[in-house]
Amino acid sequence: MHNLRPDLKRACTMAYTPSLPSFAAIVVAAGKGLRVGGQIPKQFRNWQGKSLIRYSVEALSEAGASPIAIVVADGAQDLASEALVGINGVIFTHGGDTRQQSVLNGLVALEQSKPANVLIHDAARPHLSQDVIARLVSALEEHSGAIPVLPVVDSLAVAGDGDVMAGAAEREALRRVQTPQAFRYMHILAAHHAWSGEKIAGDDAQVLQARGESIALVEGDERLKKFTFAEDFVQTGSAPFRIGQGIDVHRLVDGEELWLCGVQIPHDKGLSGHSDADVALHAITDAVLGAIGDGDIGTHFPPSDSKWAGARSAQFLEHAVKLAHDAGYALGNIDLTLICEAPKIGPHRSAMREAVAAIIGLDEGAISIKATTTERLGFTGRGEGIAAQAIVSLQRL
Ligand code: MG
């Protein structure tokens, strides 16, 4: 390494990646994620094609973490299993009343495998790089703990009563702390056991530091920020609006019920198909899936799967709306056209709008249902089937 320019010396150091000491990991995913909004906790929401938690668990797995204990709230186990399917070495354990108790549960879940080291991470920080993991684990050779930190760049004010500045703080001595935080396993386990009954801990480093142990500060990563608000899920540059369209056709036959937009329509024939053959809801469902670029109704509910035989089509649409929500979009409006000679749609229009509004949770004013004939031309004109076309708009949450 002698006689190298400093920049080349740095490049050589970075290219050398020694194998890391072995370590296990805990990913805390027990939070309710209420600040983000949405129907499911933020750590299980879809973000750019994957569940948020999957990003960091994949990064930990790639770095060699084993086992990886996932701490989940009661009732969220199915969401967690689905989000992490196919990743080896993952085990699940229950969350506690506080974050500190959740971490302790995770540490106890690792007791059988007795790891030398453990990384403890928040599920809502997806951008976990291999470099950060390597810096943390390497620091454990000399310290009981290691945490990723960033400098404070803004100046700091101390707030007094009535929102008046009471003084200033020295930013030079302060650091912003991220996760994962790395520890020698037996040390952090003992510290968490001893902490029981203490005030709520800010993080695991505070629990270990309270026992006077040495915790290294290593370089963090600005991209490792925690997803806190709904805006964090919005992909930079993603469109504020999206449009989708869907088309469907079903055959009219004797002896079947006729369902349109979730409403049963009295008619001498009905639509045949694998589900309830609601051609209108199928077209709307495909339009929603089209707007988020997530396949079509056949991808999500294959006709080859017997569990969808006779299914209510409302559940297909409900699922598509949920997928759109997970992708960060809410429905704006729907414009549906039914194409048939009979039955007459007009007398049922209001009931159909009401039914679609109830399925989607949208105002009836945002749902248009139109009908046309094809002047007795073609299969719709001959009464052999009904066709439906839907266009939907989505707006960013
Ligand atoms: Mg269909």
Side-chain angles (χ1 to χ4, degrees), residues 44-353:
F44 302 119
R45 277 186 58 182
N46 183 291
W47 181 63
Q48 297 185 14
K50 282 193 251 186
S51 178
L52 194 65
I53 188 176
R54 191 172 177 97
Y55 289 87
S56 49
V57 176
E58 280 182 345
L60 288 163
S61 177
E62 188 187 329
S66 179
I68 304 173
I70 312 295
V71 188
V72 292
D74 289 341
Q77 168 101 33
D78 287 349
L79 277 174
S81 310
E82 191 185 332
L84 300 175
V85 68
I87 302 178
N88 290 330
V90 170
I91 57 176
F92 296 97
T93 190
H94 294 281
D97 290 339
T98 64
R99 186 186 181 282
Q100 189 264 326
Q101 285 166 5
S102 289
V103 172
L104 179 55
N105 290 354
L107 289 165
V108 169
L110 295 175
E111 251 173 344
Q112 269 198 323
S113 52
K114 289 193 178 56
N117 304 307
V118 62
L119 262 59
I120 303 174
H121 188 50
D122 288 331
R125 295 180 188 266
H127 289 297
L128 174 55
S129 74
Q130 298 298 308
D131 287 347
V132 169
I133 295 173
R135 287 198 283 271
L136 288 165
V137 178
S138 301
L140 292 181
E141 290 178 18
E142 290 185 26
H143 302 270
S144 303
I147 58 177
V149 298
L150 292 169
V152 175
V153 292
D154 297 316
S155 65
L156 297 170
V158 176
D161 290 342
D163 262 349
V164 170
M165 182 171 167
E170 293 287 335
R171 72 175 172 207
E172 286 73 16
L174 298 177
R175 300 288 182 272
R176 292 181 288 143
V177 179
Q178 302 180 310
T179 77
Q181 302 188 346
F183 305 96
R184 292 181 187 162
Y185 175 73
M186 293 310 293
H187 293 234
I188 191 67
L189 178 65
H192 268 286
H193 274 307
W195 186 271
S196 300
E198 296 281 332
K199 66 186 189 308
I200 290 175
D203 66 10
D204 305 295
Q206 292 176 15
V207 171
L208 187 64
Q209 209 263 338
R211 287 164 62 93
E213 302 220 27
S214 163
I215 294 164
L217 304 181
V218 308
E219 185 188 344
D221 186 342
E222 286 288 359
R223 291 171 306 163
L224 194 47
K225 73 168 196 154
K226 190 172 192 167
F227 278 37
T228 310
F229 299 103
E231 302 89 88
D232 292 327
F233 280 85
V234 176
Q235 194 176 339
T236 309
S238 73
F241 294 98
R242 300 192 71 148
I243 307 292
Q245 67 90 32
I247 294 174
D248 197 30
V249 171
H250 280 264
R251 191 183 295 272
L252 273 170
V253 297
D254 293 323
E256 288 280 359
E257 295 174 346
L258 176 58
W259 289 87
L260 293 173
C261 291
V263 176
Q264 189 173 6
I265 311 286
H267 193 48
D268 59 348
K269 290 181 175 180
L271 292 174
S272 80
H274 193 61
S275 62
D276 64 12
D278 190 326
V279 68
L281 291 186
H282 292 187
I284 298 171
T285 302
D286 256 1
V288 174
L289 293 171
I292 57 170
D294 191 356
D296 59 26
I297 197 168
T299 322
H300 293 275
F301 307 98
S304 55
D305 189 337
S306 60
K307 81 175 160 191
W308 306 121
R312 284 170 53 251
S313 296
Q315 71 187 99
F316 302 159
L317 181 54
E318 282 161 5
H319 184 70
V321 171
K322 177 184 170 297
L323 290 174
H325 196 277
D326 290 350
Y329 288 94
L331 255 76
N333 72 302
I334 296 173
D335 187 9
L336 172 79
T337 303
L338 286 159
I339 305 162
C340 57
E341 292 301 322
K344 292 277 173 245
I345 299 302
H348 308 288
R349 190 192 317 268
S350 152
M352 286 161 60
R353 288 177 84 189

Side-chain angles (χ1 to χ4, degrees), residues 333-385:
N333 72 302
I334 296 173
D335 187 9
L336 172 79
T337 303
L338 286 159
I339 305 162
C340 57
E341 292 301 322
K344 292 277 173 245
I345 299 302
H348 308 288
R349 190 192 317 268
S350 152
M352 286 161 60
R353 288 177 84 189
E354 205 175 304
V356 174
I359 294 166
I360 298 181
L362 207 59
D363 192 274
E364 279 174 50
I367 297 163
S368 151
I369 295 175
K370 315 199 297 293
T372 187
T373 70
T374 48
E375 298 281 334
R376 300 192 176 277
L377 295 169
F379 70 87
T380 52
R382 292 189 296 272
E384 293 166 9

